[in-house]
Amino acid sequence: MTEQCPHRTVYFISDGTGITAESFGQSLLAQFEHIKFDHFTLPYIDTEGKAFQVVEELTKLQDMGKRPLVFSTIIDETINRIIRNAPVYRIDIFDAFMPDLENELKLHAIHQVGKKRSITSGHKYNQRIDAVHFALDNDDGAKTRFYNQADIIIVGVSRCGKTPTCIYMGLQFGIRAANYPITEDDGDMTRIPKALQPYKNKLFGLTISPERLAAIRDERRPNSRYSSSRQCVRELEEVELMYAQQNVPYLDTTHYSVEEISTRIIAQMGIERRLK
Amino acid sequence: MTEQCPHRTVYFISDGTGITAESFGQSLLAQFEHIKFDHFTLPYIDTEGKAFQVVEELTKLQDMGKRPLVFSTIIDETINRIIRNAPVYRIDIFDAFMPDLENELKLHAIHQVGKKRSITSGHKYNQRIDAVHFALDNDDGAKTRFYNQADIIIVGVSRCGKTPTCIYMGLQFGIRAANYPITEDDGDMTRIPKALQPYKNKLFGLTISPERLAAIRDERRPNSRYSSSRQCVRELEEVELMYAQQNVPYLDTTHYSVEEISTRIIAQMGIERRLK
């Protein structure tokens, strides 16, 4: 992105966490590649005082000729009425969709902050946290005796993205994901390590481009054999051979985010999300 | 929720991960407490074949008298034209907002799937993954020698939510969060443990209701001293006394999700999100 890019200031504003506002706002803005967006998240705008401050800040920008873009999720009607006065371009999903959705559901929305489903209820909270702890306890082949409880076991060479993927699956979907590194220490890398053989149908492999792997490893151990291009190429060739020969489904993570890797694995393996 | 609740089937449909569709859909539906929603996520609907299958599935439901609700984020115009034929109630943020946003930005959207910002670019990917590994390496007081690199150090009694909070902060915001357990082993629980004293300004405490803590601990070690109500009350009293006496800012996590805990801490501590 060059200095000549047009440039806009973006605010994500919410009386809750701001996560939904960020999510839908980023999705929309990602479709405009040639604009540079500076963004700021203002969560928990949940008092009239805070709302007036926000309006003041936005008005100042507008007066300086920098018309801000605002993506918001404001549930409280009083707060919303105040923010509505800001001289900005604003998209709010509650404003936009709620009246029509109320009509479809033939019910009035409760307009209460902090009600997001599938996150706060006791049972689901426990399921999520248990799944995160499962990912941690079963990270990097540390233990194998709980693999019977795993929904999935991710395999791959060191630093191909196993750990963040397992954690994300636990945190976001309550899925119990273990991971096991394929290393030279286990002998022939083209064979499924012994500890994994009873769980062949739970295995999912990750791979990555050698260049990307070398770059990631080099940040960890600069100029080492471990991060050398030659070593990365060799390990990846062997592990990919193993996936192919042993019919282990796999995914190349080079161009994917943790979110994409996780949701693609879930879709491909047909795993049921425990959090719904 | 009783059996008499009205009942609707909900689909989150996307040609990407489906995460944004889930996020804004859940936010809207959470405002209707007296309806039971059964939901299904259909991600990666990225071929005409898959799109026609979806329309068929939705049409069947409609024919059975179960008019589905659909929340979607479909970027590809060909896919969108197919899904649009489904006889359902549908909300799509691209359909709803894109034409107007294009007008405001005086640019055409690129209409390309998988472009979500702040996730896939190399530098930001590394920052996220490094932050997750930082949280893992510095979990549960395992190491203290990297605390100078921490953006924040979360403290609290065992199982009050420290680990998932640290991991979430890393994964979602690229923040480097360590955590340190306050236990009887460290002697007087009302004092800041020695290892933490040089980092007093990075400390943030968590607390929780004794009932909730006992329930969480009881799942881990049933009927133990560790999970007894008496022990939980005592530990929490001491740790809360420490927070108050030592001016450690803190939060009661009892009624909050990991997302809420994390974003409230960030807001309260004024930590800068490293991923923007």
Side-chain angles (χ1 to χ4, degrees), chain A residues 8 20 22 31-32 39 44 67 89 100 104 110-112 117 119 128 257 259 263 273 276, chain B residues 8 22 27 31-32 39 44 67 100 104 110-112 117 119 128 257 259 263 273 276:
Chain A
R8 293 293 292 261
T20 301
E22 287 176 341
Q31 296 296 314
F32 298 91
H39 35 89
Y44 302 111
R67 179 173 157 86
Y89 180 83
D100 196 41
E104 168 71 22
I110 53 175
H111 294 285
Q112 274 178 38
R117 274 163 202 265
I119 284 180
R128 270 181 108 176
S257 66
E259 286 82 350
T263 52
R273 301 178 180 198
K276 297 232 256 184
Chain B
R8 295 292 292 259
E22 288 176 339
S27 291
Q31 296 296 314
F32 298 90
H39 35 89
Y44 302 111
R67 178 173 158 87
D100 195 43
E104 167 71 22
I110 54 176
H111 294 284
Q112 273 179 40
R117 273 164 202 264
I119 285 180
R128 272 183 105 178
S257 66
E259 286 83 349
T263 51
R273 301 177 181 201
K276 300 234 257 183

Side-chain angles (χ1 to χ4, degrees), chain B residues 173-204:
Chain B
F173 304 117
I175 290 170
R176 292 173 169 244
N179 76 79
Y180 191 97
I182 307 294
T183 68
E184 294 175 316
D185 304 341
D186 261 333
D188 184 355
M189 287 176 72
T190 63
R191 304 182 73 166
I192 293 178
K194 211 171 160 195
L196 299 178
Q197 283 169 9
Y199 308 101
K200 227 193 117 176
N201 60 344
K202 293 187 183 183
L203 301 187
F204 192 97

Side-chain angles (χ1 to χ4, degrees), chain B residues 21-32:
Chain B
E22 288 176 339
S23 172
F24 83 82
Q26 302 260 28
S27 291
L28 288 164
L29 296 180
Q31 296 296 314
F32 298 90

Side-chain angles (χ1 to χ4, degrees), chain B residues 30-44:
Chain B
Q31 296 296 314
F32 298 90
E33 282 193 322
H34 300 295
I35 303 181
K36 188 175 178 315
F37 297 107
D38 280 337
H39 35 89
F40 303 93
T41 302
L42 307 179
Y44 302 111

Side-chain angles (χ1 to χ4, degrees), chain B residues 6-276:
Chain B
H7 193 281
R8 295 292 292 259
T9 306
V10 178
Y11 284 81
F12 304 113
I13 303 176
S14 174
D15 45 10
T17 65
I19 292 171
T20 302
E22 288 176 339
S23 172
F24 83 82
Q26 302 260 28
S27 291
L28 288 164
L29 296 180
Q31 296 296 314
F32 298 90
E33 282 193 322
H34 300 295
I35 303 181
K36 188 175 178 315
F37 297 107
D38 280 337
H39 35 89
F40 303 93
T41 302
L42 307 179
Y44 302 111
I45 304 303
D46 49 10
T47 65
E48 295 185 31
K50 288 188 199 172
F52 283 120
Q53 270 181 15
V54 168
V55 173
E56 203 180 316
E57 187 174 332
L58 296 173
T59 308
K60 255 187 216 161
L61 275 171
Q62 174 78 14
D63 291 348
M64 291 162 65
K66 298 182 180 178
R67 178 173 158 87
L69 301 171
V70 174
F71 298 89
S72 66
T73 54
I74 296 170
I75 292 171
D76 186 279
E77 259 312 301
T78 311
I79 305 294
N80 211 356
R81 263 195 299 273
I82 297 167
I83 300 286
R84 220 174 265 147
N85 288 321
V88 296
Y89 180 84
R90 183 163 82 109
I91 291 175
D92 186 293
I93 53 165
F94 294 111
D95 262 10
F97 301 127
M98 204 46 108
D100 195 43
L101 187 59
E102 286 179 322
N103 198 33
E104 167 71 22
L105 296 173
K106 296 181 188 66
L107 264 184
H108 285 292
I110 54 176
H111 294 284
Q112 273 179 40
V113 182
K115 287 288 174 190
K116 195 155 177 190
R117 273 164 202 264
S118 88
I119 285 180
T120 40
S121 80
H123 172 64
K124 282 175 179 166
Y125 176 85
N126 291 348
Q127 218 164 27
R128 272 183 105 178
I129 301 310
D130 283 352
V132 171
H133 283 286
F134 186 88
L136 298 184
D137 292 343
N138 296 281
D139 186 38
D140 210 29
K143 286 176 199 165
T144 57
R145 67 179 182 279
F146 299 117
Y147 282 5
N148 59 331
Q149 294 169 29
D151 293 316
I152 186 166
I153 303 166
I154 310 276
V155 297
V157 303
S158 170
R159 286 282 157 150
C160 66
K162 299 183 299 298
T163 299
T165 300
C166 288
I167 289 172
Y168 185 81
M169 285 184 165
L171 203 51
Q172 188 74 11
F173 304 117
I175 290 170
R176 292 173 169 244
N179 76 79
Y180 191 97
I182 307 294
T183 68
E184 294 175 316
D185 304 341
D186 261 333
D188 184 355
M189 287 176 72
T190 63
R191 304 182 73 166
I192 293 178
K194 211 171 160 195
L196 299 178
Q197 283 169 9
Y199 308 101
K200 227 193 117 176
N201 60 344
K202 293 187 183 183
L203 301 187
F204 192 97
L206 300 185
T207 191
I208 189 170
S209 80
E211 297 74 30
R212 185 102 182 80
L213 182 63
I216 293 168
R217 287 184 172 186
D218 202 61
E219 288 207 9
R220 198 176 183 200
R221 291 195 219 148
N223 306 314
S224 61
R225 171 167 176 273
Y226 171 77
S227 69
S228 69
S229 160
R230 192 177 155 168
Q231 178 69 12
C232 292
V233 168
R234 209 174 66 76
E235 287 186 29
L236 290 167
E237 272 176 7
E238 293 196 11
V239 89
E240 286 177 23
L241 192 64
M242 185 264 274
Y243 299 156
Q245 285 181 350
Q246 308 289 331
N247 291 316
V248 174
Y250 71 99
L251 182 71
D252 182 337
T253 66
T254 311
H255 299 293
Y256 292 140
S257 66
V258 177
E259 286 83 349
E260 285 169 310
I261 298 167
S262 303
T263 51
R264 282 178 186 274
I265 292 172
I266 292 170
Q268 203 174 326
M269 294 284 275
I271 299 170
E272 208 179 323
R273 301 177 181 201
R274 286 177 191 261
L275 294 179
K276 300 234 257 183

Side-chain angles (χ1 to χ4, degrees), chain A residues 69-110:
Chain A
L69 301 171
V70 174
F71 298 88
S72 65
T73 53
I74 296 170
I75 292 171
D76 185 280
E77 259 313 302
T78 311
I79 306 294
N80 211 357
R81 263 195 300 272
I82 297 167
I83 301 286
R84 220 175 264 145
N85 289 322
V88 297
Y89 180 83
R90 183 162 81 111
I91 291 176
D92 186 295
I93 53 165
F94 294 112
D95 262 10
F97 301 128
M98 204 44 107
D100 196 41
L101 188 58
E102 286 179 322
N103 197 34
E104 168 71 22
L105 296 174
K106 297 180 188 68
L107 264 183
H108 284 294
I110 53 175

